[in-house]
Amino acid sequence: MSAQVSARTSAHTFVRGAAKLIADDAEALTVAAALADEFRAEASRRDAERSLPREELDRLSDSGLLAVTVPAEHGGADVRQETLAEIFRLLASADASLAQIPQSHFVYVNVIRRQGTPEQRTFFFGEVLAGRRFGNAQSEAGTKHVQDIRTRLEPAPDGSYVLTGVKHYSTGALFADWIPVLARAEDDNLHVAYVPRDAEGLTVVDDWDGMGQRTTASGTVRLDAVPVPADRVLPHHLTFQGPQLHGAVAQLLHAAIDAGIAAGALAEAAEFVRTKSRPWFESGAETAAEDPLLIQRFGELAIQVRATEALLGAAARAADTARADLTEATAAEASIAVAVAKAHAASTAVEVSGALFEVSGTRSTLNSLNLHRHWRDARTHTLHDPARWKIQHIGRYVLNGTPPPRHGLL
């Protein structure tokens, strides 16, 4: 399925209701759990039909969850990273595609918190509190590697800028009110330009054709001499010149999505075995749920899932500790803790979603049941960045005390 969405569809004509203001961490978790239950009901159908979750995203915006990291001095709940990770885990356990869409939103809210001027913070945090969504336009295809960014931010005579380039894997852009674009300026440093979706010269193309995360609409963004006012540009390169949590928080949310996929797959496998599977004739059991070998396997899978959730919580608490006292040491500890959680979560998500078929039997492979969506989502999402490199950085840190690099992916 491919369809072009004109950027001149106004990003400022809002028909959604006014966003609720969430007060604290406890309320954020309550709202997230309720929305996860709501989104779970139609998740399989949306995936099977590739029905994009526009109404669900509006519910997410209106709920106030997208504003929970806005600093308290700007009117937000400013929740802990542990709470944010649990929000993503809950949503991903219901619908991994839907949970993936706002990941970049929170990453680019964090960029404003770190690098925005007081005026930029006031404006953009106000937008977020009103329920506006950020997408992303950062990755590019056909370049030498993921950090080879060729989109250009050229100065205009009046002090503004002009953006030109093509972005791929632009999760959230199709549903966004603002699209943060990663680009290089004249000095080759990285900047983020926050562009309204109705900007002249900006086109979002719904051409995502992945086997998993089918409803994220992670397609292409084309930038053809897009005008950008100077006060909509932030110096992203400065983020990495000192201790930072940009990469740790971004990766924490990815780890939470993997943990949610694993939990969702395990829960659906258990329900299937309890209600639909037949016992193997040699077991002597009356039901599949009483088969001792299935019981053993479920125990093993549960240990994996719980270990991932424990590591996720530990990583989130390390990020909270570092945010309260950001130093080279605390930032390194947080990055390593997140890398541990992400590597474990990626493995667990793929293993558990694959084991769903092992424990459920032949019937579970029917396309009409769409149980394979968990494995497809896990296999697709865990390709965002290789766990093998995280393990390298963990090993160097433990063995030689080498701090992890500051490149935004750790």
Side-chain angles (χ1 to χ4, degrees):
M1 181 181 294
S2 178
Q4 286 198 352
V5 178
S6 171
R8 287 180 287 280
T9 301
S10 177
H12 300 288
T13 304
F14 298 102
V15 296
R16 302 193 292 270
K20 180 182 176 182
L21 185 62
I22 289 177
D24 53 29
D25 293 70
E27 184 180 4
L29 291 173
T30 298
V31 171
L35 283 178
D37 287 342
E38 178 183 325
F39 296 157
R40 184 176 290 108
E42 295 293 317
S44 179
R45 179 195 61 78
R46 286 192 296 272
D47 174 88
E49 299 174 0
R50 196 176 181 271
S51 177
L52 300 181
R54 298 180 187 277
E55 292 182 7
E56 289 75 16
L57 284 169
D58 285 349
R59 288 278 294 117
L60 192 61
S61 292
D62 294 344
S63 76
L65 276 183
L66 296 184
V68 294
T69 60
V70 170
E73 60 266 30
H74 289 273
D78 203 6
V79 301
R80 299 187 302 273
Q81 301 308 296
E82 187 174 10
T83 297
L84 186 62
E86 180 62 6
I87 289 169
F88 271 79
R89 192 195 70 82
L90 287 167
L91 294 175
S93 72
D95 185 336
S97 288
L98 188 51
Q100 177 63 32
I101 292 169
Q103 190 267 349
S104 292
H105 170 90
F106 285 99
V107 168
Y108 285 104
V109 169
N110 201 35
V111 170
I112 294 165
R113 181 177 189 142
R114 172 97 176 178
Q115 296 301 339
T117 64
E119 294 77 16
Q120 287 171 328
R121 291 173 188 162
T122 296
F123 174 77
F124 280 116
F125 289 151
E127 289 286 281
V128 174
L129 287 167
R132 316 298 195 246
R133 294 192 290 263
F134 293 164
N136 98 84
Q138 55 185 25
S139 293
E140 300 178 11
T143 56
K144 185 176 181 180
H145 51 68
V146 69
Q147 294 209 329
D148 181 13
I149 302 296
R150 301 182 184 181
T151 297
R152 305 305 300 187
L153 186 68
E154 303 288 351
D158 64 357
S160 65
Y161 295 92
V162 176
L163 265 176
T164 302
V166 179
K167 298 291 188 175
H168 300 270
Y169 313 117
S170 302
T171 302
L174 189 68
F175 314 106
D177 303 306
W178 292 89
I179 301 177
V181 180
L182 199 59
R184 295 197 183 277
E186 276 190 312
D187 58 6
D188 217 34
N189 284 324
L190 281 176
H191 290 69
V192 178
Y194 288 73
V195 182
R197 210 188 69 185
D198 62 348
E200 188 73 26
L202 187 152
T203 305
V204 180
V205 186
D206 179 17
D207 57 358
W208 170 240
D209 192 31
M211 69 172 182
Q213 295 198 300
R214 297 184 67 230
T215 62
T216 59
S218 302
T220 302
V221 170
R222 301 187 185 282
L223 305 146
D224 183 13
V226 176
V228 184
D231 62 357
R232 297 294 180 261
V233 177
L234 281 72
H236 191 39
H237 62 285
L238 297 181
T239 298
F240 307 103
Q241 293 186 4
Q244 51 84 36
L245 295 174
H246 177 82
V249 171
Q251 290 294 306
L252 179 69
L253 302 186
H254 282 308
I257 292 168
D258 290 341
I261 293 172
L266 183 62
E268 192 143 13
E271 177 65 15
F272 191 94
V273 169
R274 283 193 299 265
T275 60
K276 296 182 177 66
S277 292
R278 298 183 297 178
W280 183 243
F281 72 95
E282 291 179 286
S283 70
E286 288 296 316
T287 67
E290 297 171 300
D291 183 330
L293 296 184
L294 282 179
I295 290 171
Q296 176 73 20
R297 186 63 175 132
F298 269 95
E300 294 168 349
L301 296 173
I303 290 170
Q304 285 291 98
V305 171
R306 291 194 180 206
T308 282
E309 291 171 354
L311 289 170
L312 179 69
R317 290 188 292 276
D320 281 323
T321 296
R323 191 167 69 155
D325 180 22
L326 188 60
T327 66
E328 295 285 1
T330 61
E333 283 288 342
S335 289
I336 293 299
V338 171
V340 169
K342 180 63 173 67
H344 197 277
S347 175
T348 299
V350 173
E351 179 183 355
V352 174
S353 59
L356 182 155
F357 305 102
E358 171 196 337
V359 297
S360 300
T362 305
R363 185 181 174 190
S364 65
T365 66
L366 295 177
N367 267 325
S368 59
L369 296 175
N370 199 26
L371 294 177
H372 47 66
R373 73 184 184 280
H374 299 291
W375 183 86
R376 289 187 287 103
D377 285 342
R379 187 62 282 174
T380 301
H381 182 258
T382 55
L383 297 176
H384 269 84
D385 50 279
R388 59 186 176 273
W389 273 99
K390 296 185 187 305
I391 294 169
Q392 281 283 310
H393 294 308
I394 294 164
R396 292 168 183 168
Y397 182 77
V398 171
L399 184 60
N400 299 316
T402 305
R406 300 175 188 154
H407 54 39
L409 293 172
L410 197 70

